[in-house]
Amino acid sequence: SGDLPAGTPAGVSANNRFLNMGTENSRHFNVLDTSTLDVYAGATWTAGAHEVKFGADYADNEVYNAFVQNTNGNYTFGCEPGTYSFGTFTNCTQMTAAQRELAVLENFRSGKPSAFVVQVPQPGLVIGDAAANWSYGNIGLFVQDSWKLSKAFSLMFGMRVDQQQVDTKPRANAKVTEAPIAGSINGTTYARATGGFGMDNTVTLDGNNLFQPRVGFNWDLS
């Protein structure tokens, strides 16, 4: 097999010649951008034996995450049977090594790939729809009273309320809402689980409230 470079493992066919060009397949649509905003305001009010702390905070995190491979295509140009400028062949094994190389380059120049992989959006959509583009916000209100009953003992109680805010919803996926169908095992015969998850994927945390009461005390036993 003198057509192959020195050191080629035994059994490699000299007929398998191809050309790949371009950048790696993950770069064309790979973007991550996050923007975070945090605001806090609080105050303390002292009245006699009471020390009241109160305030609010707000956090917002905006996310844009795009990762789709082969959006510009991944093309392989090889030797294929057909008519070339140097002859017609029904099989690439009929060609010499030099002719196979010429066939690969000629297919590249004429835009005739032997194989290609490309990810494209579904009809009616654009490639940008594949990106995660959403935001998550949380607003919290809190109040706490520290009541000093004596020099040795004080009581603390309060409440914090948080509300989640998600302005957007994922695109509905009918496959996710389908009922799950369990798989099975019968001896050496296996059947995969099918169906979906029986869930609505458009449901988010938007509008959920979290209530967190708190109570405690300090007691100086000395």
Side-chain angles (χ1 to χ4, degrees), residues 94-180:
Q94 299 172 341
M95 303 180 188
T96 64
Q99 287 175 327
R100 285 192 288 271
E101 291 182 2
L102 289 174
V104 172
L105 296 175
E106 193 165 313
N107 285 333
F108 174 67
R109 286 194 299 267
S110 60
K112 297 179 180 179
S114 300
F116 72 92
V117 176
V118 63
Q119 292 206 68
V120 297
Q122 294 181 358
L125 304 178
V126 296
I127 194 65
D129 293 324
N133 188 9
W134 67 294
S135 65
Y136 170 77
N138 185 89
I139 185 169
L141 303 174
F142 60 88
V143 60
Q144 174 180 295
D145 183 13
S146 296
W147 182 12
K148 193 170 185 64
L149 298 175
S150 69
K151 289 184 178 181
F153 187 85
S154 62
L155 179 66
M156 182 273 292
F157 52 90
M159 169 68 76
R160 177 182 174 90
V161 181
D162 289 274
Q163 184 181 81
Q164 286 93 28
Q165 299 174 341
V166 182
D167 295 335
T168 59
K169 293 183 178 182
R171 187 181 300 276
N173 188 335
K175 293 295 184 181
V176 176
T177 61
E178 292 180 358

Side-chain angles (χ1 to χ4, degrees), residues 20-21 23-25 28 70-77 113 115-119:
N20 283 340
M21 298 183 65
T23 62
E24 46 79 28
N25 61 347
H28 308 127
N70 296 314
T71 56
N72 288 350
N74 189 331
Y75 301 87
T76 298
F77 296 90
F116 72 92
V117 176
V118 63
Q119 292 206 68

Side-chain angles (χ1 to χ4, degrees), residues 177-190:
T177 61
E178 292 180 358
I181 302 174
S184 63
I185 301 177
N186 184 8
T188 58
T189 302
Y190 303 90

Side-chain angles (χ1 to χ4, degrees), residues 6-80:
T8 301
V12 176
S13 173
N15 299 324
N16 185 21
R17 296 171 180 268
F18 59 88
L19 175 66
N20 283 340
M21 298 183 65
T23 62
E24 46 79 28
N25 61 347
S26 300
R27 181 173 312 210
H28 308 127
F29 194 59
N30 188 355
V31 180
L32 175 61
D33 181 71
T34 61
S35 178
T36 303
L37 173 66
D38 291 289
V39 179
Y40 172 87
T44 301
W45 176 44
T46 302
H50 295 271
E51 183 181 77
V52 181
K53 296 180 180 180
F54 56 94
D57 55 42
Y58 176 75
D60 181 74
N61 188 23
E62 296 184 358
V63 178
Y64 181 84
N65 187 0
F67 180 70
V68 180
Q69 294 181 305
N70 296 314
T71 56
N72 288 350
N74 189 331
Y75 301 87
T76 298
F77 296 90
C79 178
E80 297 293 332

